[in-house]
Every structure is written in C-alpha cells, then in structure tokens.
Amino acid sequence: MARILSVQSHVVSGYVGNRAATFPLQLLGHEVDVINTVQFSNHTGYNTVHGERFAAAHIRDLFAGLQANGLDRGYTHLLTGYMGTSDNVHAVSAMARQLEQTNPELTFVVDPVLGDDGALYVPEELVALYRDELCPRATLVTPNQFEAELLTGIKIATLADAKRACDALHQMGVPNVVITSARIGDDASTLHLVGSELCARSGTKHQFAIGFPQLDGYFTGSGDFFAALLVARHASLANEFAGLAGALAKACELATATQAGVMAATRQHQMSTGIAADPDLPRGSRPSDMVRGFELRIIPSRHLITNPTASFQAFAI
C-alpha cells in the first residue's frame, strides 16, 4: 500500500483534479492525503466558475502543519497536477525536496498541467519552470501530446517523434515518461499512449505504445483520472517487478483499460440525456447541461476501476 500526497485542483461539483484522483487511488488500496491548489464551484469548462485560487503561502502553510505533527513522514508518493502559478510550482518543488529528505525513495509524479489541443491554460512562464525545476526531480511525468511538445520542443507526428520526446525528458532526469495521448499519422479514430522506462537495475530502456479509441466529446479531468490510475497501478506492481523493466507498461495497460471504459460510460450517459453535443463549441459557449453530461462517470463505473473489462496491449517501439 502506498501513502500518497496529492497536490491538485479541487471542485465542489464534478470530477477534475483531486476529485478525479482521490477515489480511484483509494479504491485501488492506497492512502491519499490532499492539498488543493484551487477550490472552484465546478471546472472551467462551464460558462460560470466561482471560487478561489490559493496562494503558494496557503500550500506551504498546510504542508508546515503536516510537518509540525510528523504527518509528512511515511509518504511514498507525491502526485502533482494543476499548479496555476509560478509561486505554486516553487512551493511544490520545495515540498518535494523536503519529502525526499524524509524518504529518499520517494516517487515524485508530475502531471504537467499546462494545456491541450494547442492552447495553454496557464501562464507561459510555467513551461520553463516545469522543464527546469520539476522534471529534473520527477520519477514519472505524464504529459499529453501538447505538453510534451512544449517541454521538449519536439513536434510529435509519428511514434519516432514521440520516442525522441521521451528521450529528451529522460535527458532532463526523468526515468519514467508516459505521453498519455498523441495523434499519430492520419487515423483520427485512434490515439496513442507512448511510454518509456529506464530500468533501475540494468540501465536499459523499454519503450512502448498503446493504441486506444478516441471518443468525441467535451471530457474534462480525464488526464487527472488517468494519472491517478497510473500511480495506483504502478505502485502496486513495484514489488512484483522489483526494479526490472515492464512495470510501467503493465500499469499503462491497466490504466488505459479503466480509462477507456469510464470514458465510454461517460459518453453513453451524455447521449442518454438527449442534449446535443455540437462539435467545436469554444469554452464559454457550451450549455451547462451539456457539460454536466460529460462529467466523468467515476462512481457508477467503480467496477471498471478494480476490474476493467477492456483489454489493451502495449507493443514495443
């Protein structure tokens, strides 16, 4: 069982950030403590959002409280998602350093939440901070295609490009890389996960890919959900693989199977509402009832978290 500190966003209603991550981590047998970087009424895909972005002082103060009571001892994993500001990135970097002093074997998982589909949704200065400050400390990073391109400067159009991007992240100091979704070639119906694992014992590199169907819709929080699934599965496989290559690919297979099932259940639920989901609606113009229909069906699909029915196989690249 892992003990995980998760530092991400939070919403009152819906499933993004810590709301998307906590339940699957716990359901798969791990202890989770959370620090929220924001608290919003709902995610930003809705037309109206109320709430507050927390300053770095808030994050540092909460962590100081954990330290004062010795509650920072025993964390095996630090999982980070949406930071939003450069000050928060600095605060989390300092937190990682302190946790590493307590546990030199800490697994630091960085989901570099910067943007998607060619658009940033954080200040541009955060790209360099993730690349220069967080990635060199990370054990595992989980960028999407756009984020991987931002961090490495490599445009990804082929699996060979994705491998080069993984290699660039390895050169920054990251031993485990998962590009969670990339459009490869002209097949619009399929996305690819691309992973690369440096074997701790042999120093060899294991690179792989998994193809999975792309579903049309306005899904939010899927990256947060996937990162949590990956952390949970990878933590559970650590003893089985004992530092040998293969744990990351197996964890990705299981996480992808759950993700695909939950996404399909979510799409089916949205269609059952009878509310049209017209394509290419920009943020700010999407009806709230339609957006609500695309909230991830995590709780009704809990059986797919523990026992996914789909099956995906990684292949070497």
Side-chain angles (χ1 to χ4, degrees), residues 64-100:
L66 294 175
Q67 290 178 304
N69 291 292
L71 299 173
D72 61 318
R73 294 193 293 269
Y75 285 123
T76 60
H77 292 68
L78 173 63
L79 168 62
T80 65
Y82 179 80
M83 295 291 104
T85 69
S86 58
D87 286 344
N88 284 352
V89 172
H90 292 309
V92 166
S93 181
M95 187 186 303
R97 286 196 299 272
Q98 292 172 70
L99 288 174
E100 287 165 354

Side-chain angles (χ1 to χ4, degrees), residues 194-240:
V194 178
S196 187
E197 175 185 28
L198 291 178
C199 178
R201 289 174 58 178
S202 68
T204 58
K205 185 166 52 180
H206 179 216
Q207 295 186 304
F208 59 91
I210 301 173
F212 59 94
Q214 176 170 343
L215 298 179
D216 294 330
Y218 298 97
F219 302 98
T220 305
S222 55
D224 308 323
F225 181 56
F226 181 85
L229 293 170
L230 182 58
V231 169
R233 293 299 191 177
H234 194 250
S236 298
L237 290 165
N239 289 336
E240 178 183 342

